[in-house]
DNA sequence: CTGAAAGCGCTAACAT
DNA sequence: ATGTTAGCGCTTTCAG
């Protein structure tokens, strides 16, 4: 292959007939070089196709930044994560910072391996969607100087900024939306109860019922539903039981889809109301359209990146929980009124 | 903040009571260090929380790899791109290579800026979904030693591997699927005609018609449709015209959605057949389900990454076009037979 | 098996 | 305004 040696500052200096420090000044945009020399150096750089080596340059720099951050999300291919990821990348690019990324697959071991691979590369900071396990091992890294911001949920055992959506408020609003239309018996479908968001959404659901003078204890609540199939089964089961609900609040994306499938199968999609947490693609093309509480992953990503970058730049306010608002989007399924 | 100085090889050496070269040997897993010393060094490393600095280590290394590759896709948040991206990240991780990424927004300037930012960081290779513009500027970089693989489409003016899906074959199969059900008049909805994939799919469509003894020239073909709204309008227009088609082949994701919307609005979703290129989320929940020719972004990403990494490792077979097969998924809309 | 010396490509600190 | 020297943290090369 191309046997030609790597082009260094010195080569450029020789070609331009200046000292190599002058070249360094020019390529770093430092002031105080005569326009004539700047020009000569620039030409030599172009002719030789020279590019500053960021490793060598970072090595001696006082500010030992790599201008790189890392993002570890559950699944980079998931729409929520990929939107968030994109926002992080765009925000970082505006500040000339590059982004490395990985999926944790909701597996603490994968997550830790990914984070450690990134720390080994000396990234300036990490944006992490933490798995449900304990993260105190992480605390040590933070003390080592790497900045951390968690997204979607806070990490237990870590004193760091967290950017989350308004899970509780969104769930309350979704439930109130159903209550306002006359529903008195509303079912809740929830994710694994150990997950932070699942817990918050359940709390929001209960709050809304209590506010309406209903007993949250008597509502049909199904937790630990891991996928759309189990949500589908749960809905079919609940509706077959005594005193079936007239409305359903699905606490997560896949559960909403499962609930929809169940209602379709039972032919009840126009009888039983449904509101889901987290938006669903093409929800508006379904019939009826699916009413959801939408998160704003774009904004969450942008906020997390902005926070992280400002910490990297030295901001040192105490870590806080940052809540991004949700938005209720009525599309039909949530506006169905109770029958009978 | 933590004022403590960075921990170096020397610090570890002092602590373990050995020369710093011995530490280097241990942390690099080189053979030929007595087990006792290995142990002492390991302990010192743990106690001090030492981590090899990849910049310093790469600086002197003969193999000047950064063990980093870059991915530039149109939109990291788009389902196709994010699936592909995920596969790249996973494949690279298995080989201990990290991935930087960026979106080009189908804008040649953004694309070039992203690629150059990555080259400035001395990535070992780049996976690029090229915009429709000319890429001969890229050729120079390749000659500079950075490996390149394009995905989704080949880049004009660049002699590099390309991993694409079987656009032509998929389109032919989709069209034949409709022909086999008795359709004789089939409309084609296409993206901007300058885009490689759009051209290939149109060719595949025409091939199928010709194979069936029909005149491709007389089929209703609408090109340069940029979004679902324009596809919707096009379908409404075509169906209102004389000799309306009984089947539609939509050459892209968004166009399929637009076509679906149009059929819904006209109440023809059970009269007019529809097959789309590229899968649509929740397609199976729609009524009728949408028949599509699905691409395999996961496989494309994995293949592109594998190719790139093997080139980085020195493989030097001539660049080629790698085609990933598509899969036709019948879900209802494509199985409708012509009426009358 | 272990270590000392040289130097990767660059920036910092100090000349001039 | 330009150049000189030292040295970032590590690997290489060569010596013991």
């Amino acid at each position: 292959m191309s046997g030609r040696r790597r082009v260094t500052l010195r080569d450029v200096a020789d070609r331009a007939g200046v000292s190599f420090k002058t070249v360094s000044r020019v390529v770093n945009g430092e002031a105080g070089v005569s326009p004539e020399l700047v020009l000569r150096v620039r030409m030599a750089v172009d002719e030789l196709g020279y590019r500053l080596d960021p490793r060598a340059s970072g090595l001696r720099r006082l500010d030992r930044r790599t201008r790189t951050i890392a993002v570890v999300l559950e699944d980079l291919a998931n729409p929520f994560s990929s939107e968030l990821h994109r926002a992080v990348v765009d925000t970082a690019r505006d500040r000339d910072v590059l982004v490395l990324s990985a999926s944790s697959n909701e597996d603490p071991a994968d997550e830790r391996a990914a984070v450690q691979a990134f720390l080994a590369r000396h990234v300036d900071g990490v944006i992490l969607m933490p798995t449900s396990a304990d993260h105190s091992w992480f605390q040590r890294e933070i003390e080592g100087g790497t900045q951390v911001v968690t997204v979607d949920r806070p990490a237990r055992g870590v004193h760091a900024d967290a950017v989350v959506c308004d899970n509780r408020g969104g769930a309350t609003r979704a439930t109130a939306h159903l209550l306002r239309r006359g529903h008195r018996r509303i079912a809740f479908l929830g994710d694994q109860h150990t997950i932070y968001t699942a817990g918050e959404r359940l709390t929001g659901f209960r709050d809304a019922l209590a506010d309406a003078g209903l007993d949250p204890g008597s509502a049909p609540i199904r937790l630990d539903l891991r996928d759309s199939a189990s949500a589908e089964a749960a809905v079919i089961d609940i509706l077959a039981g005594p005193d079936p609900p007239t409305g359903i609040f699905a606490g997560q994306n896949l559960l909403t889809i499962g609930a929809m499938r169940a209602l379709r199968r039972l032919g009840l999609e126009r009888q039983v109301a449904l509101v889901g947490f987290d938006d669903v693609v093409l929800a508006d093309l379904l019939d009826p359209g699916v009413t959801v509480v939408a998160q704003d992953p774009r904004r969450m990503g942008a906020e997390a990146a902005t926070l992280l970058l400002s910490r990297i730049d030295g901001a040192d306010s105490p870590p806080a929980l940052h809540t991004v608002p949700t938005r209720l989007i009525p599309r039909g399924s949530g506006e169905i009124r109770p029958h009978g």
Side-chain angles (χ1 to χ4, degrees), chain A:
Chain A
M1 238 90 60
S2 93
R4 62 167 196 247
R5 207 176 49 78
R6 131 176 291 288
V7 182
T8 74
L9 267 190
R10 255 174 193 95
D11 301 322
V12 178
D14 288 352
R15 176 121 189 173
V18 296
S19 85
F20 85 95
K21 175 69 228 193
T22 299
V23 179
S24 166
R25 287 199 174 98
V26 172
V27 296
N28 284 293
E30 285 171 34
V33 180
S34 72
E36 194 216 342
L37 285 196
V38 171
L39 207 72
R40 255 169 47 209
V41 169
R42 289 248 164 82
M43 291 190 63
V45 164
D46 279 2
E47 285 161 13
L48 294 158
Y50 171 75
R51 263 197 293 261
L52 226 184
D53 187 326
R55 285 174 297 188
S57 112
L59 203 52
R60 191 62 169 90
R61 269 217 163 78
L62 294 178
D63 141 29
R64 315 199 80 257
R65 306 264 164 79
T66 52
R67 303 204 69 73
T68 307
I69 61 174
V71 188
V72 181
L73 303 176
E74 258 179 65
D75 174 6
L76 288 168
N78 161 299
F80 176 80
S81 293
S82 64
E83 287 276 359
L84 194 153
H85 179 243
R86 200 207 141 123
V88 169
V89 171
D90 290 351
T91 306
R93 200 227 6 229
D94 291 344
R95 307 252 234 124
D96 204 34
V97 167
L98 299 189
V99 180
L100 292 163
S101 38
S103 303
S104 71
N105 307 309
E106 187 75 72
D107 174 342
D110 280 14
E111 173 190 307
R112 191 162 173 171
V115 169
Q116 278 168 344
F118 292 136
L119 293 176
R121 297 291 187 101
H122 292 241
V123 296
D124 299 332
V126 178
I127 290 176
L128 176 71
M129 185 182 288
T131 59
S132 46
D134 179 72
H135 283 72
S136 38
W137 59 273
F138 213 99
Q139 189 63 39
R140 189 176 164 193
E141 312 297 355
I142 303 178
E143 281 154 12
T146 310
Q147 302 296 331
V148 178
V149 172
T150 69
V151 286
D152 191 49
R153 41 217 198 204
R156 288 172 215 168
V158 184
H159 199 51
D161 286 298
V163 176
V164 303
C165 87
D166 182 14
N167 291 291
R168 207 179 285 200
T172 298
R173 210 162 338 120
T175 312
H177 189 77
L178 291 170
L179 289 166
R180 214 173 301 123
R181 273 151 194 85
H183 296 277
R184 283 294 165 269
R185 189 153 175 83
I186 304 171
F188 178 89
L189 307 179
D191 208 330
Q192 226 178 310
H193 74 281
T194 51
I195 296 177
Y196 168 81
T197 52
E200 290 292 300
R201 291 170 194 175
L202 176 56
T203 303
F205 170 74
R206 286 184 165 139
D207 287 352
L209 293 186
D211 287 352
L214 297 173
D215 173 23
S218 69
I221 294 177
R222 294 299 177 96
L223 301 180
D224 299 313
L225 303 172
R226 296 162 175 278
D227 48 33
S228 72
S230 50
E232 185 175 344
V235 168
I236 289 176
D237 184 58
I238 290 175
L239 290 173
D243 198 5
T246 60
I248 299 172
F249 174 47
Q252 195 243 68
N253 225 318
L254 296 173
L255 308 187
T256 308
I257 293 172
M260 244 154 46
R261 287 220 171 89
L263 294 178
R264 281 284 175 88
R265 271 180 59 180
L266 299 171
L268 291 174
E269 72 268 29
R270 302 191 167 285
Q271 263 70 23
V272 176
L274 173 65
V275 179
F277 203 110
D278 206 0
D279 207 356
V280 170
V281 193
L282 284 192
D284 60 318
L285 261 191
L286 296 174
D287 196 24
V290 191
T291 297
V292 298
V293 176
Q295 302 192 61
D296 194 343
R298 220 96 174 189
R299 182 159 160 196
M300 291 173 73
E303 210 153 296
T306 304
L307 253 164
L308 184 69
L309 294 171
S310 71
R311 290 227 177 264
I312 290 169
D313 285 345
D316 63 346
S317 48
L321 186 72
H322 303 258
T323 304
V324 173
T326 57
R327 196 163 54 95
L328 192 136
I329 307 176
R331 292 202 186 99
S333 75
E335 291 67 48
I336 295 170
R337 294 182 172 274
H339 285 240

